Amino acid sequence: MQSAYRPIRVALLGAGSVGSQVARLLLENSEELASRVGTTLELSGIAVRNLDAKRDFDLPEGLLTEDAESLILGSDIVIELIGGIEPARSWIKLALESGADVVTANKALIAAHGPELFGLADQLGAQLYFEAAVAGAIPIIRPLRESLAGDKINRVMGIVNGTTNFILDRMESTGADFGDALELAQKLGYAEADPTADIEGFDAQSKASIIASLAFHSEVPVESVYREGITKITAQQITAARTAGYAVKLLAICERASNGEKEGIVIRVHPTLIPLSHPLAAVRGAYNAVFVEAESAGELMFYGAGAGGKETASAILGDLVSAAKRHLAGGPGLADSTHANLEILPVQSVVTRFQITLEVSDEAGVLASIASVFAENGVSVETVHQSPADKDAAAVLTVMTHVALESDLEKVVVALSKNMAVVNVKSVIRVEGL
Ligand code: HSE
């Protein structure tokens, strides 16, 4: 294609599963991309750690280099796909300082150092794009940042980690225990050899911090996001939830809240019961979905593949086209919006329903004694279900509360643990979406 503009030089940092797909799409679809942008996107090089490593896609000779810094300094747009904090952070800073726009999929970096990097981009009139950092192929950053910028978002609930959704779904559909479902996830390539970041909720915690910062126009440090993983969830718990009409999902929940004096936000990641009728309950396998509740737009749901080389590359290419168009148009980047800076409240400010499962001795007066613990702490009980005791074993009580303040529920749990009739508080799980 003939264009009045010179080609835009694009540097790729990393040639893993996403990087190879980005390179392939850039090379295979170069004419189509040129028509969308208004000039050619020229892949000027791909920085890798090891030139001889095996790749998913045969890259043209001469594109690979181990000298990332020279590549960055000669480029208009830098795509960072190496992940982790360093050297990604230094290379993104170098790219911005050299006048390049940057596209990244690095959620850990954006969650931990977003304000620093956005501040630098803003100061230099550059732009940092990160659509692929949350929920892979699903467009969610741009809708939160731009499409819904004129609305007031009250709540976002997301299944933003495909690995844990796959494991929970597998436990539900086959009755497998956590260990077996994790092993299968590893065999299929969903879970890493060290699965900690996924199963302990760290990956979802980073994504929740990014979503909340955009939804509420506030800085949300990743450490302020309450986090619980899924390792304590049992197959029995999932079956019981299903029988009662609920699915168990690892949700990232970002919402407005109040501590009685101040309005603020609470951001949390934890296993959650949601009614089977809720759209998020229908998200199976390794898929992701983000459910947004906005004042004027109402309820919106964004659904799709949350990971995968080709799928994540789609989000990267979308950002690349935006970056290239902006590069041609000139002018300053779109500054990050943190004007509201709402206070981040602790998880104890959450108001929700809870399901508490207890093992209790099966004797006269036990139910009354347990009910009084809830009443004394201002938590109203909606339903109680008792499974009869087998021989000498304890009976199992499942208590569903009405909406209650998390700090009151914590007092209930402490008091239950001290109650002579309670053998064990087996689990406490929050219930959303009713
Ligand atoms: N490990 C992530 C997941 C993939 O399971 O969703 C990309 O963030």
Side-chain angles (χ1 to χ4, degrees):
M1 153 180 167
Q2 288 294 324
S3 163
Y5 302 102
R6 69 166 174 79
I8 290 181
R9 293 157 305 179
V10 180
L12 192 52
L13 310 182
S17 58
V18 180
S20 327
Q21 292 300 320
V22 169
R24 179 182 67 78
L25 292 168
L26 258 173
L27 296 168
E28 287 180 4
N29 300 339
S30 63
E31 282 199 21
E32 178 67 28
L33 288 166
S35 324
R36 286 185 205 168
V37 170
T39 190
T40 311
L41 297 178
E42 179 189 296
L43 182 56
S44 48
I46 308 173
V48 293
R49 244 196 318 242
N50 175 5
L51 288 178
D52 301 322
K54 198 175 161 338
R55 317 270 163 218
D56 296 353
F57 167 64
D58 283 335
L59 297 162
E61 289 285 315
L63 274 182
L64 296 182
T65 172
E66 288 178 2
D67 183 1
E69 296 189 1
S70 302
L71 179 64
I72 291 168
L73 292 173
S75 301
D76 302 306
I77 298 173
V78 174
I79 303 177
E80 183 274 306
L81 296 174
I82 52 175
I85 304 299
E86 283 297 348
R89 174 169 164 244
S90 302
W91 287 351
I92 288 180
K93 285 169 76 174
L94 179 67
L96 294 170
E97 280 158 0
S98 74
D101 285 335
V102 173
V103 177
T104 179
N106 193 332
K107 71 221 147 200
L109 182 64
I110 296 292
H113 295 282
E116 176 198 11
L117 298 174
F118 292 119
L120 183 64
D122 195 21
Q123 190 189 325
L124 297 165
Q127 186 79 52
L128 178 56
Y129 298 81
F130 54 104
E131 183 62 72
V134 178
I138 306 175
I140 185 62
I141 300 300
R142 205 167 269 105
L144 290 175
R145 204 178 191 195
E146 296 175 30
S147 322
L148 291 165
D151 206 333
K152 179 181 179 190
I153 294 176
N154 290 322
R155 199 160 201 251
V156 182
M157 292 203 290
I159 295 172
V160 291
N161 182 270
T163 306
T164 45
N165 203 59
F166 174 86
I167 292 172
L168 293 171
D169 188 31
R170 180 81 189 168
M171 289 169 76
E172 182 186 317
S173 58
T174 66
D177 67 19
F178 174 77
D180 288 342
L182 170 61
E183 206 175 294
L184 180 65
Q186 286 172 316
K187 217 178 269 172
L188 296 175
Y190 294 127
E192 312 263 341
D194 175 0
T196 313
D198 292 320
I199 64 178
E200 294 292 0
F202 291 104
D203 174 80
Q205 184 186 39
S206 295
K207 292 166 178 169
S209 120
I210 297 173
I211 289 176
S213 67
L214 296 169
F216 303 120
H217 312 283
S218 298
E219 270 187 33
V220 180
V222 69
E223 321 73 59
S224 68
V225 178
Y226 173 82
R227 175 192 57 81
E228 277 174 41
I230 63 161
T231 53
K232 293 194 189 115
I233 300 290
T234 62
Q236 190 195 17
Q237 211 176 351
I238 293 185
T239 310
R242 177 116 204 147
T243 310
Y246 296 94
V248 181
K249 297 287 184 192
L250 182 75
L251 294 191
I253 304 172
C254 317
E255 64 188 348
R256 293 180 189 272
S258 160
N259 66 1
E261 288 160 23
K262 268 189 221 145
E263 297 300 307
I265 49 176
V266 181
I267 304 99
R268 51 196 166 112
V269 169
H270 52 69
T272 313
L273 291 184
I274 44 170
L276 293 171
S277 56
H278 192 282
L280 286 172
V283 178
R284 312 303 301 252
Y287 279 93
N288 282 195
V290 183
F291 189 79
V292 179
E293 297 169 29
E295 207 143 279
S296 302
E299 295 177 347
L300 306 164
M301 181 145 121
F302 302 82
Y303 168 87
K310 185 160 63 72
E311 294 81 354
T312 308
S314 161
I316 297 284
L317 267 284
D319 276 353
L320 177 61
V321 168
S322 299
K325 283 174 141 174
R326 196 197 84 77
H327 210 85
L328 288 188
L334 174 75
D336 202 42
S337 151
T338 51
H339 62 274
N341 264 330
L342 296 172
E343 184 163 340
I344 299 167
L345 301 174
V347 74
Q348 285 75 16
S349 316
V350 165
V351 174
T352 189
R353 290 154 51 107
F354 298 85
Q355 187 201 63
I356 302 106
T357 307
L358 306 165
E359 284 175 335
V360 297
S361 46
D362 200 357
E363 289 162 18
V366 164
L367 204 52
S369 147
I370 287 171
S372 69
V373 170
F374 283 82
E376 280 158 16
N377 289 289
V379 176
S380 172
V381 170
E382 187 189 57
T383 60
V384 181
H385 177 267
Q386 178 171 331
S387 308
D390 275 349
K391 295 191 189 128
D392 297 334
V396 175
L397 271 190
T398 306
V399 180
M400 182 71 86
T401 72
H402 284 292
V403 285
L405 188 61
E406 173 117 3
S407 57
D408 289 340
L409 200 280
E410 284 182 357
K411 289 183 209 147
V412 168
V413 173
V414 170
L416 287 173
S417 329
K418 291 184 186 154
N419 189 301
M420 295 303 286
V422 176
V423 178
N424 181 22
V425 180
K426 281 182 78 177
S427 67
V428 177
I429 185 159
R430 299 166 189 86
V431 186
E432 303 287 344
L434 282 163

